[in-house]
Amino acid sequence: MSIVLKAEGIIKKFREVYALKNINFELREGEIHGIVGANGSGKSTFLNILFGDAVINSSGGFKGNVYIEGNLVNINNSKAAIKAGIGMVHQEFALINDMDVASNVKLTRENIYTPTAILSEEFSYVDKRNNYFQTEKIMDELGIEVDINTKVNNLPVGLKQFVEIARELDKQNLKVLMLDEPTASLNKEASKALINVLKKISEKGTSIIFISHRLDEVIELCDKVSVFRDGEIVSSYKKEEFNIEKISTDMIGQSVVKVDKKKNTIKSKEKVLSFNNVFVKDGHRVYKDISLDIYKGEILGITSLAGHGQSIFSYGIMGLYEMDGDVIYKDEKLNLKNTQSIIKKGIVMLPEDRKELGLLLQDSIEDNIIFTACHSKNKFVNKHIFKSLAFLDKKKIAICAEKYVTEFNIKCSSKRQLVKELSGGNQQKVCMARALATEPEVLFIGEPTRGIDVYSKELILKMLVDINDVNETTIVVASSEVEELKRVCDRIVVMYEGKIFDIFSPEEDDEVLSMAISGKRREVNREN
Amino acid sequence: MVLYLLVLFICLIYLGLDCITIINESLVKMVMNGVFVLALIPMINTGIGMNFGLPIGISAGLIGMLLAIQFRLTGFLGFMTAVIVGSLVAIIFGYIYALLINRLKGNEEIVGIFAGLSFIPIMNIFYSGAPFTNRQMLYPVGSKGLRPKINLENYFKGILDNFMIINIGKVRIPFGMLLFYAMICLAIYLLFKSKLGVGMKAVAQNENFAKLSGIDINKTRTISVIVSMVIAAIGICVYSESYGFVQLYDGPLSVAFPTISAILIGGATRKKATVLNAIIGTYLFQTTFLISVPVANEFLIPQLSEITRMIVTNGILLYAFLYEGKNNSESL
């Protein structure tokens, strides 16, 4: 197999900080090359360089050479990269929501009727039928069933990812396909389908670079894995030498201790929050007749496939989705129209979409930590005749922020550093500190470990268990990581098609849980 | 902008015009227009954007002044009555305007322009039909309906301008007026240091985050609109006492654009503005006008100064929006 892509001595600095120090990288034809590493290890920067991302150029370019099939290429913008045969599937989708699948796939490469002398190529009529035909062919090759006439925003997340891949594959000269955490937003099923598709693609001779936090996927899929740490490739493994523990040790430079909650067998049966036949509406998705009791002091896990309703409770109670019905908190009916009153009563939610909903990115760590406590419970303020005109108590704030920064080991230059400059794991810690500062009774948290590296993941999970242990906070975790839920939760709720499918104990078999997630019961075995 | 101002100053000295008068006047001008500029800050920092609905708050201030004149209140009493009554009316107007704006989130600026434009005719009907009886404010002929320009000579003209004047050589510092201005500045500064103000900034940055932290978004926005309208009402009182006339009918329409230009010159963006932005912006903007008129008159045909004025005002608005758009497109 010949070498398709070769990167030599890549060095990239952001201001004075080295993001990449002397990277040497080779990719062979038809090879699937996995790149793993902790957050901030330089994986994404490396891909951005290869794809000529604008961020790289505007921050001073990079040093080093990139060869494609032995020829030195100068990649200084995405156009050049595409011309050289590099395609990229972004972590955030780059699709046009209001166009149908076929138009998205064929965008800028549309089939056209022969241009006339007057109307040049730009103005000639688009041959839609041929577009559809070709898109269908690609989708068939990938083995994906999708109606190519639907608009992209009506597709589930998993399928959107495939539309992106189809678009890249449609490029005639595609030699290298790069995927930046394609499975981060996908559930297990869709990830599996994606992996199969990628295998098929590589068999046809296209090389793939694959970034993921999920090591088991990397190991299943890749022919070769390179481990990034602090902007360097610290080790490379071939398929025969794969070893999860070794790889994860290389990523962090130390070994990971997995959290395991000691299961409390004696649990109070005191209900703290119960949903009785509630109705939830999220856009055009409607969930009806849902009932769930949450007991005091437990960690409750909720899991489902995307779009099957794992987050309806938290989003509903906070008024982000429309919710109606009886929600009883400590023998008192909640007024679901009044979000402030609910937060005041001690129910706090950390949404899964951290950057969009969970943080004030432009503000400092300190401001973020105290924000919710200050506004919902009137903490950290001086006395004043009008409560809302009171000034903030700087001393108390400083003490509190200092406490959380040291307690949670938030890596930052100072507590006045802006949150947007922190890494994903540290941002999540800030979120947790923000929730804790309010001393919540019930904490809803969505996807606590999404987009976080292996090491920080365990820290976050440990924090959850500790909070539950020390403060006796009731925690409701909505997550698609069943393996993590099994380790920390007391009960696991599985949702399917907008209904509660069943409630399991964390000791339940993996198999039973994963079947339940896709809506199947192991009835036969039970009868036996 | 600063450069332009310097060039104008040099021209001024070159032409031998009276610098001191200009400086004296520039201070008065700053306060005269500066209060309007301050009125923009609360709404910008709550993420509602520029308050193009400024004429509504101004109309409230006008009603306050009309009442003061109707009851023949003169001097400080008259001025303070105008300010207080104006503020009360502004609270009502602000509340109604906020209801409108909270329904049309995301388009506040456009809505503001049209709300301002359509509110003025309503006020015009009020002016021409309201049962005021003071002869000095009615049309001399027919004695029905208010006249477009009411002279404040006998009421509270220059009440702030001439309050606590400090003379240093020829330079005449209107200390009382500056003090009044400084008090409003301080009030706004403190507002944004308070819990409410911090909440407002958070609403501007991330509405859903603020909601999840227990902030009532619509209430916060309503308060911010009301504060803005009240300051605008005070602004027109200050403006009128300095100008010497109360301008009714279409007068308020001409205020919004120059005001917004001024705060943009001061370095504010559509999401963030400080008191300092407002002060610097007003001073630069007003002084430029002040100087460009005599200079343009001296060099060019007299009408040109008015044209320059229009170009500067609207050009800066355009530039500010372009500048922001450029930043956005670069980040993509």
Side-chain angles (χ1 to χ4, degrees), chain A residues 232-257:
Chain A
E232 284 173 296
I233 296 184
V234 286
S235 56
S236 281
Y237 297 96
K238 289 202 180 103
K239 190 135 193 145
E240 310 82 76
E241 315 161 336
F242 281 169
N243 176 341
I244 285 208
E245 270 148 46
K246 233 175 154 189
I247 292 175
S248 51
T249 317
D250 281 345
M251 277 166 65
I252 304 146
Q254 55 190 329
S255 49
V256 183
V257 186

Side-chain angles (χ1 to χ4, degrees), chain B residues 4-53:
Chain B
Y4 180 56
L5 196 63
L6 275 177
V7 171
L8 285 174
F9 253 113
I10 292 164
C11 290
L12 204 65
I13 294 162
Y14 173 75
L15 291 169
L17 295 166
D18 188 0
C19 274
I20 304 290
T21 330
I22 296 279
I23 289 171
N24 289 344
E25 247 183 272
S26 76
L27 285 175
V28 174
K29 276 264 182 193
M30 177 174 86
V31 181
M32 199 168 146
N33 296 283
V35 184
F36 292 134
V37 183
L38 290 175
L40 297 174
I41 296 176
M43 276 175 67
I44 293 175
N45 281 343
T46 319
I48 312 179
M50 299 298 171
N51 186 1
F52 280 100

Side-chain angles (χ1 to χ4, degrees), chain A residues 255-387:
Chain A
S255 49
V256 183
V257 186
K258 289 211 165 183
V259 182
D260 209 346
K261 180 183 152 85
K262 281 176 234 138
K263 298 285 171 339
N264 293 343
T265 37
I266 322 145
K267 271 282 166 193
S268 68
K269 281 284 167 188
E270 190 189 331
K271 288 178 199 170
V272 62
L273 188 65
S274 31
F275 298 86
N276 298 330
N277 300 325
V278 291
F279 165 91
V280 183
K281 196 172 160 202
D282 155 32
H284 46 262
R285 266 199 209 115
V286 176
Y287 307 89
K288 270 187 216 159
D289 277 342
I290 294 174
S291 302
L292 177 68
D293 290 331
I294 298 168
Y295 299 118
K296 195 173 159 63
E298 72 171 344
I299 302 186
L300 179 71
I302 303 178
T303 188
S304 79
L305 301 176
H308 285 250
Q310 71 175 26
S311 50
I312 54 167
F313 296 106
S314 51
Y315 277 64
I317 204 167
M318 287 293 138
L320 293 176
Y321 293 168
E322 202 182 304
M323 190 184 223
D324 212 353
D326 264 6
V327 181
I328 313 285
Y329 174 66
K330 290 183 174 172
D331 303 326
E332 190 188 345
K333 194 171 180 248
L334 289 177
N335 176 6
L336 293 166
K337 293 273 176 300
N338 190 344
T339 311
Q340 292 95 294
S341 71
I342 294 174
I343 296 171
K344 256 191 196 132
K345 289 195 175 110
I347 302 176
V348 176
M349 174 228 190
L350 295 177
E352 51 189 67
D353 210 344
R354 271 197 301 282
K355 285 190 178 164
E356 291 292 319
L357 301 174
L359 291 164
L360 285 175
L361 292 171
Q362 310 291 336
D363 281 353
S364 69
I365 296 172
E366 186 177 74
D367 292 343
N368 268 280
I369 288 178
I370 59 110
F371 192 87
T372 307
C374 170
H375 287 273
S376 66
K377 296 218 164 155
N378 229 11
K379 286 182 182 177
F380 307 112
V381 291
N382 288 323
K383 282 199 179 120
H384 197 280
I385 343 160
F386 300 106
K387 262 190 196 162

Side-chain angles (χ1 to χ4, degrees), chain A residues 319 340 356 372 375 378 388 390, chain B residues 195-196 202 206 208 211 213 216:
Chain A
Q340 292 95 294
E356 291 292 319
T372 307
H375 287 273
N378 229 11
S388 58
Chain B
K195 190 184 143 197
L196 182 69
N206 191 334
N208 278 323
K211 185 174 178 180
S213 290
D216 188 335

